[in-house]
Amino acid sequence: MNRTGSGCTEALLPEGREKPAGQPLWLLAELTYKCPLQCPYCSNPLDFARHGEELTTDQWIRVLREARELGAAQLGFSGGEPLTRPDLVDLIREARQLGYYSNLITSGIGLTERKVADFREAGLDHIQVSFQASDEEVNNMLAGSAKAFAQKLKMAREVKAQGYPMVLNFVTHRHNIDRIDRIIELCIELEADYVELATCQYYGWAYENRAELLPTRAQLERAERITNEYRERLAAAGNPIRLIFVTPDYYEERPKGCMNGWGQIFLTVTPDGTALPCHSARQLPVEFPSVKQQSLGDIWYRSFGFNHFRGDDWMKEPCRSCDEKEKDFGGCRCQAYMMTGDAANADPVCSKSPHHDLIVQAREAAENPAGTGFTYRNERNSRVFCRG
């Protein structure tokens, strides 16, 4: 049973029981689960429709202050679509006064010239605009909006025009990765400074749609080769654009060092105030505390949820005796839980895992996709998941 959520004040360890932890240097403020788009790879929880009322402006300001006191320096405003929050300018202004480097992670839907100017005046440092594809038809099909692509283009240009670095994000997958050259060409046309070509990672709605999204190895290798060719060509031409190619876990033999270790540098606060050590952890059968009941200091250092997978005493074999455990920390706890039913198992991505065959099977299935169609991320489908 999924026992995540707020109100778990009993899940606080006695003084002296906390495990060694770093500082929460990176705070992700998921301001809302509301979103005008319905991307089938969204990392929001499948049952987002069941979660409670959003934090108020004052509650978010307290979160920002407490996180800064703990050492947080980088702040991401995310969602859902954070532009749906009417108090976003107030939160940006507070973040600047507190000394954060702040980043708005947005689809661009709802953004206007006036808002870009207001955000800049309030002290926002960085805006990242996400695209679904390089062409209007595929972009709008994935977004579930006939007007999304044109709005994204307009706002990406506006962000650049108002002096922000042009930071673009493309989630790549089976339906757009073969057009990686066109994606990069579009980024060049938009005079992008940084581009994240982020091959889909399979959490939340992406895991539900994995059969439709996972590219083949050949598709992935071709995309990486083309990206490298563009890097060389752009560097030779003196173009400073930076292309960041992120490969999916499913084609690796060793897991990533997820979040640089559980509860070490990364802290997420969800729209209803639940605090998480990563943005996908809500699905785990672990009780996570709420900022509505506890201070971030208590949550970070002494809550059961944040201490549970710190260190390595929770590890089973083969992780427990592995000479790489201090590098990869056993891999991703969410992936282990989704695929094996036990969050303490080795990440199945690892070739040493007894469950690695699950990853191999997914790779093989990608060679002959079933073509089942997408389950889109929207309120209606979320309510279906809420009912079980």
Side-chain angles (χ1 to χ4, degrees):
M1 173 183 258
N2 192 328
R3 294 178 286 113
T4 62
S6 61
C8 46
T9 54
E10 72 278 10
L12 198 66
L13 298 178
E15 290 286 347
R17 286 281 307 281
E18 60 265 26
K19 298 178 182 179
Q23 292 176 294
L25 301 177
W26 215 113
L27 171 64
L28 182 65
E30 291 186 331
L31 300 180
T32 182
Y33 286 139
K34 296 173 184 174
C35 186
L37 303 184
Q38 51 181 350
C39 305
Y41 48 75
C42 182
S43 62
N44 286 168
L46 296 174
D47 62 349
F48 69 82
R50 80 162 73 242
H51 298 300
E53 292 185 2
E54 295 177 0
L55 295 181
T56 65
T57 304
D58 287 344
Q59 288 171 322
W60 272 118
I61 287 174
R62 178 173 60 81
V63 167
L64 298 185
R65 290 174 178 171
E66 290 183 0
R68 190 76 182 98
E69 289 170 0
L70 291 174
Q74 186 156 332
L75 168 65
F77 291 114
S78 180
E81 175 49 69
L83 292 172
T84 64
R85 287 280 303 210
D87 57 356
L88 184 54
V89 169
D90 297 326
L91 297 178
I92 290 170
R93 185 171 289 110
E94 180 69 19
R96 168 50 62 96
Q97 291 173 352
L98 290 169
Y100 281 102
Y101 181 90
S102 59
N103 176 23
L104 175 64
I105 304 165
T106 177
S107 68
I109 308 303
L111 197 58
T112 64
E113 295 178 14
R114 180 70 262 166
K115 286 183 179 179
V116 175
D118 288 345
F119 296 158
R120 188 166 182 78
E121 185 277 330
L124 184 68
D125 295 290
H126 180 126
I127 299 176
Q128 175 185 294
V129 180
S130 65
F131 280 77
Q132 281 70 30
S134 59
D135 64 276
E136 188 166 17
E137 181 180 0
V138 176
N139 188 101
N140 292 349
M141 178 271 291
L142 290 165
S145 168
K147 300 179 181 180
F149 188 69
Q151 169 70 5
K152 288 170 182 289
L153 287 178
K154 180 180 179 181
M155 285 303 105
R157 293 187 175 106
E158 185 61 33
V159 167
K160 182 80 173 185
Q162 294 206 30
Y164 279 104
M166 172 69 76
V167 183
L168 303 179
N169 173 270
F170 284 80
V171 176
T172 61
H173 44 76
R174 169 182 295 280
H175 292 271
N176 65 6
I177 198 168
D178 290 334
R179 301 181 187 181
I180 195 77
D181 51 348
R182 177 58 192 134
I183 289 173
I184 296 172
E185 289 289 346
L186 176 61
C187 295
I188 295 170
E189 291 171 22
L190 291 172
E191 300 181 80
D193 297 288
Y194 300 91
V195 179
E196 186 175 27
L197 303 168
T199 313
C200 194
Q201 305 292 344
Y202 296 95
Y203 302 91
W205 294 83
Y207 190 74
E208 184 69 19
N209 288 295
R210 187 181 67 179
E212 281 290 324
L213 293 170
L214 185 65
T216 65
R217 183 181 292 277
Q219 284 182 301
L220 183 67
E221 290 176 348
R222 174 182 176 274
E224 189 164 19
R225 173 179 57 78
I226 290 173
T227 301
N228 287 332
E229 290 171 357
Y230 267 96
R231 284 171 175 156
E232 294 173 3
R233 194 183 314 164
L234 290 165
N239 190 322
I241 184 173
R242 185 178 178 189
L243 304 177
I244 303 166
F245 190 90
V246 182
T247 57
D249 293 355
Y250 279 50
Y251 287 101
E252 302 288 352
E253 296 301 315
R254 288 291 182 272
K256 61 181 179 288
C258 196
M259 300 298 167
N260 287 313
W262 180 275
Q264 293 302 317
I265 66 170
F266 191 84
L267 169 65
T268 294
V269 177
T270 68
D272 66 356
T274 302
L276 303 171
C278 83
H279 60 273
S280 297
R282 192 164 201 158
Q283 68 190 297
L284 298 178
V286 175
E287 291 203 59
F288 292 103
S290 171
V291 299
K292 294 177 181 177
Q293 279 85 38
Q294 297 174 20
S295 71
L296 277 184
D298 277 342
I299 288 170
W300 181 259
Y301 290 109
R302 288 182 290 281
S303 70
F304 173 80
F306 276 76
N307 277 285
H308 190 47
F309 291 115
R310 279 181 174 144
D312 58 16
D313 58 359
W314 56 270
M315 289 183 177
K316 299 181 178 181
E317 294 295 348
C319 297
R320 182 176 290 275
S321 58
C322 180
D323 60 4
E324 297 180 70
K325 67 182 180 182
E326 294 183 1
K327 179 171 65 176
D328 61 33
F329 316 110
C332 177
R333 298 302 88 225
C334 299
Q335 197 150 256
Y337 178 70
M338 285 188 301
M339 300 190 77
T340 75
D342 187 344
N345 282 334
D347 187 334
V349 164
C350 185
S351 61
K352 298 179 182 181
S353 167
H355 303 286
H356 187 61
D357 62 302
L358 298 174
I359 292 290
V360 174
Q361 290 169 18
R363 295 173 189 167
E364 292 172 347
E367 299 293 333
N368 297 287
T372 55
F374 289 124
T375 300
Y376 285 96
R377 180 255 191 234
N378 55 45
E379 186 89 8
R380 182 184 65 255
N381 286 334
S382 181
R383 293 194 181 283
V384 171
F385 286 111
C386 291
R387 294 195 296 267

